[in-house]
Amino acid sequence: MAILDDVDRALIHALHLDGRAPFTKIGEVLGVSTQTIARRYRRLRAEASLRVVGLPDPQRAGQAEWMVRLTATPHTAQDLAHALARRADTAWIKLMSGGTEICVNVHTPAASDHALLLRDIPRTASITAVSAHQLLHRYFGGPTAWLGRARFLDDAQIAALTPAFAGPGKPLTADDAALLAELARDGRASLAELATATGWSASTVARRLADLQAGGTVFFDLEVDTRPLGATTHALLWMAVAPAHLDAVARELATHPELAIVAATTGPANLVAHALCDDAAALHRYLTQRLGALEAIRTLETAPVLRTIKAAASR
């Protein structure tokens, strides 16, 4: 596991703000050489699983987003999780709760027949239980993911590195498929590499990418091993909140630096969150002190994350 110093942490924060920021710009803002930034980036990729990925916003892409919870027999759960990871419509696959539960994020076309949900899963004999929960609204997550990686730059540095996009943005079309596939592989792919992947000119790629980013149709997420950043304990939190208080509670949770996602969902638990804490004691304090102070939360299920099998996009 990588040992991070101040330059590493500042670089991670910079890429959190703008995953495609040139190394020259990051170096200028951080006060170090471009060569140092490039060298640190390569080391973090190798030792801390650092990765920038370009992703479509599910709502703007016309996708329905689900969290599917599967319980499998102990000797098959890992194989099943890896099989699900090979699918293009899955992300954030986590092995949980003693290694027999899998939680998988599924994106499907809004008008599809939901093949994974309705056909593929029931045919897998090793699965003993399934529940599917549609995400109705993300209060936090995606392009504003876990703030624990974004606390190392000062206000002036943040302002210098935060991109400003003008215009309403453009919707995705079928012609964008090759561009999205390459950005999911490497969000920092050069314009020349993107041009090769799409068959477009570099100037066309630059214009199209700017149009898609402007309105948030495409955003850049940052994957990184959170342990060197201090978050060694992860858990999914499934909460039941009185409907009249759901919006207020979710907006409050969206300000908590311990959380990487907050979303309203269908099912007995109508609010889900992903917590990242320093250790088990810190998670306990968060549950009892911060969440415990919110009386509108009627029930809370804590599901520890043992391992992330797949992150935001396929590798």
Side-chain angles (χ1 to χ4, degrees):
M1 179 169 31
I3 298 175
L4 305 186
D5 63 13
D6 290 346
V7 174
D8 294 326
R9 293 170 184 268
L11 172 56
I12 290 170
H13 190 169
L15 293 172
H16 171 92
L17 296 170
D18 183 0
R20 288 185 63 83
F23 289 154
T24 52
K25 182 177 181 180
I26 296 175
E28 289 172 2
V29 173
L30 271 55
V32 298
S33 70
T34 301
Q35 293 78 8
T36 295
I37 294 299
R39 186 172 62 252
R40 294 300 183 94
Y41 176 75
R42 290 192 296 269
R43 185 175 72 87
L44 289 171
R45 279 179 62 93
E47 298 180 14
S49 302
L50 179 70
R51 184 171 176 239
V52 176
V53 292
L55 302 169
D57 177 89
Q59 290 185 333
R60 290 182 172 89
Q63 295 177 331
E65 190 174 7
W66 299 75
M67 292 187 77
V68 180
R69 301 180 70 178
L70 312 171
T71 303
T73 54
H75 63 286
T76 62
Q78 289 202 42
D79 289 343
L80 176 60
H82 284 286
L84 289 169
R86 292 191 287 270
R87 296 182 59 111
D89 55 358
T90 64
W92 295 117
I93 299 176
K94 300 180 183 299
L95 196 63
M96 324 212 19
S97 304
T100 59
E101 182 181 346
I102 303 163
C103 186
V104 52
N105 185 265
V106 180
H107 289 192
T108 64
S112 77
D113 62 357
H114 306 306
L116 175 63
L117 304 177
L118 302 178
R119 185 184 67 236
D120 297 354
I121 287 176
R123 290 182 177 178
T124 305
S126 62
I127 295 174
T128 58
V130 180
S131 62
H133 312 267
Q134 185 173 5
L135 298 192
L136 303 177
H137 180 73
R138 276 182 182 256
Y139 287 87
F140 186 76
T144 54
W146 183 52
L147 297 178
R149 67 191 187 201
R151 54 190 178 193
F152 306 107
L153 302 181
D154 61 33
D155 290 344
Q157 291 172 316
I158 291 171
L161 286 164
T162 300
F165 296 110
K170 303 290 185 180
L172 290 170
T173 71
D175 293 337
D176 294 313
L179 176 63
L180 291 175
E182 187 66 13
L183 291 174
R185 186 189 67 81
D186 180 7
R188 290 190 61 85
S190 68
L191 292 179
E193 290 169 327
L194 295 174
T196 299
T198 59
W200 303 341
S201 68
S203 59
T204 298
V205 168
R207 285 195 302 271
R208 184 57 178 160
L209 192 53
D211 286 343
L212 293 174
Q213 284 185 268
T217 305
V218 168
F219 67 91
F220 289 88
D221 205 353
L222 186 66
E223 298 174 5
V224 65
D225 184 350
T226 62
R227 292 173 296 173
L229 293 169
T232 65
T233 300
H234 296 211
L236 286 180
L237 311 178
W238 299 88
M239 293 162 276
V241 180
H245 302 291
L246 178 62
D247 189 68
V249 170
R251 291 182 185 280
E252 167 65 23
L253 265 56
T255 68
H256 292 189
E258 295 89 350
L259 300 181
I261 182 174
V262 178
T265 183
T266 60
N270 55 2
L271 190 62
V272 64
H274 179 197
L276 297 87
C277 297
D278 290 351
D279 51 30
L283 175 61
H284 175 72
R285 288 193 299 272
Y286 176 69
L287 298 177
T288 57
Q289 297 176 17
R290 299 205 70 182
L291 293 189
L294 300 175
E295 295 182 359
I297 299 177
R298 299 183 300 193
T299 64
L300 170 64
E301 177 191 355
T302 305
V305 176
L306 303 182
R307 182 182 174 196
T308 297
I309 303 295
K310 182 180 181 180
S314 299
R315 291 184 182 269

